[in-house]
């Protein structure tokens, strides 16, 4: 799996765990018959995926996650959806890459396949 | 995806009048494929896996023949609800053991706040707890009819 795919999977698992651990959301979903059970399997999967990451990305991911509660921001119309700064053309990834760092907020930027650079 | 967001989350290309599959995992894959064809999601395989992980950890079928699977993910481009019907019913492990006839797949992009995503799920659950809304959606045989039920019920 590429660093990109690993990072995207890690981020999705963190979003899922964030939902499972949110006390208010959990209580409301439970009242509607949609409650969460034991998150340990997802936690184990998350730990495995994190270990697979290249150390460089692990560092950037962990730092942005601690700082913002979410480490990856998607890019829409060349705007970082984490800090909403307009990104310069030079911020776009080169060929064969699809991840870069936002120079403003430090989040990992996810340039979707159809995002114009 | 609260009340005012629902009309924009509906889309005629995101409606399956009769799901082909009668197994939960395959039905979810059918709904995700529909969203992918409509351009609402990317990385469909990863999204199917994420939904399966959530299904394994949380209940998405509160009973009464309704299921509301969901995902908040970088794979989702725009907030969308994919609606699927199954007149024959899908085995979904609901607490009342009733097969599911209506599946409402709630998709939110990663940047959608958790509170908004959860509110969308809860709103659908509350609306379709009522027999009259469920029945009208089960009987809706076109996207227009299904969208009218959703818009009215969630207004
Ligand atoms: Zn940024």
């Amino acid at each position: 799996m590429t660093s990109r795919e690993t990072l995207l999977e890690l981020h999705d698992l963190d979003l899922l765990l964030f939902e499972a651990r949110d006390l208010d959301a959990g209580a409301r979903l439970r009242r509607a018959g949609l409650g969460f059970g034991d998150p340990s399997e997802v936690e184990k999967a998350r730990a495995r995926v994190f270990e697979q990451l290249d150390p460089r990305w692990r560092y950037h991911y962990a730092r942005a996650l601690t700082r913002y509660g979410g480490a990856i921001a998607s890019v829409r119309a060349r705007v970082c959806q984490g800090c909403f700064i307009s990104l310069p053309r030079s911020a776009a990834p080169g060929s064969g890459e699809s991840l870069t760092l936002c120079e403003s907020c430090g989040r990992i930027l996810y340039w979707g396949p159809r995002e114009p650079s | 995806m609260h009340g005012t967001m629902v009309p924009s989350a509906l889309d005629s290309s995101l409606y399956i009048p009769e799901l082909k599959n009668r197994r939960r995992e395959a039905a979810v894959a059918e709904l995700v494929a529909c969203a992918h064809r409509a351009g609402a999601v990317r990385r469909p395989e990863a999204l199917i896996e994420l939904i399966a992980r959530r299904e394994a950890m949380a209940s998405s079928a509160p009973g009464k023949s309704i299921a509301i699977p969901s995902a908040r993910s970088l794979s989702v481009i725009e907030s969308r609800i994919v609606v699927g019907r199954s007149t024959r019913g899908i085995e979904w492990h609901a607490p009342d053991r009733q097969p599911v006839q209506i599946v409402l797949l709630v998709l939110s992009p990663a940047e959608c706040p958790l509170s908004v995503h959860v509110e969308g799920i809860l709103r659908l659950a509350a609306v379709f707890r009522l027999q009259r809304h469920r029945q009208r959606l089960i009987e809706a045989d076109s996207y227009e009819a299904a969208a009218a039920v959703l818009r009215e019920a969630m207004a």
Side-chain angles (χ1 to χ4, degrees), chain A residues 12-21 34-44, chain B residues 24 49-60:
Chain A
D12 277 352
L13 289 172
D14 274 337
L15 284 181
L16 182 55
L17 284 170
F18 184 67
E19 182 182 352
R21 290 169 181 155
L34 298 166
F36 274 91
D38 180 7
S40 59
E41 283 305 313
V42 177
E43 286 168 347
K44 280 184 212 158
Chain B
R24 175 176 64 172
E49 191 180 324
L50 180 68
I51 294 167
R53 282 196 191 283
R54 195 185 185 282
E55 288 289 316
M57 178 169 56
S59 165
S60 66

Side-chain angles (χ1 to χ4, degrees), chain A residues 23-36, chain B residues 59 62-63 95 118-119 121-122 125-126 129:
Chain A
L23 295 178
D24 179 56
R28 297 180 70 203
L29 287 166
R30 203 162 35 251
R31 279 198 295 276
L34 298 166
F36 274 91
Chain B
S59 165
V118 168
E119 193 58 43
I121 298 169
L122 291 171
R129 198 172 294 135

Side-chain angles (χ1 to χ4, degrees), chain A residues 29-109:
Chain A
L29 287 166
R30 203 162 35 251
R31 279 198 295 276
L34 298 166
F36 274 91
D38 180 7
S40 59
E41 283 305 313
V42 177
E43 286 168 347
K44 280 184 212 158
R46 195 265 180 207
R48 271 197 308 273
V49 173
F50 188 73
E51 281 306 308
Q52 286 166 17
L53 259 187
D54 177 274
R56 170 181 168 235
W57 287 116
R58 209 184 293 167
Y59 167 77
H60 289 304
Y61 188 94
R63 195 174 67 155
L65 182 65
T66 305
R67 189 176 293 176
Y68 304 114
I72 302 183
S74 52
V75 178
R76 291 173 190 247
R78 225 171 334 113
V79 171
C80 166
Q81 296 300 299
C83 67
F84 299 103
I85 197 162
S86 282
L87 299 159
R89 282 187 189 280
S90 59
S95 61
E97 302 175 321
S98 61
L99 292 161
T100 53
L101 287 180
C102 175
E103 287 188 11
S104 167
C105 68
R107 288 179 179 92
I108 298 165
L109 294 170

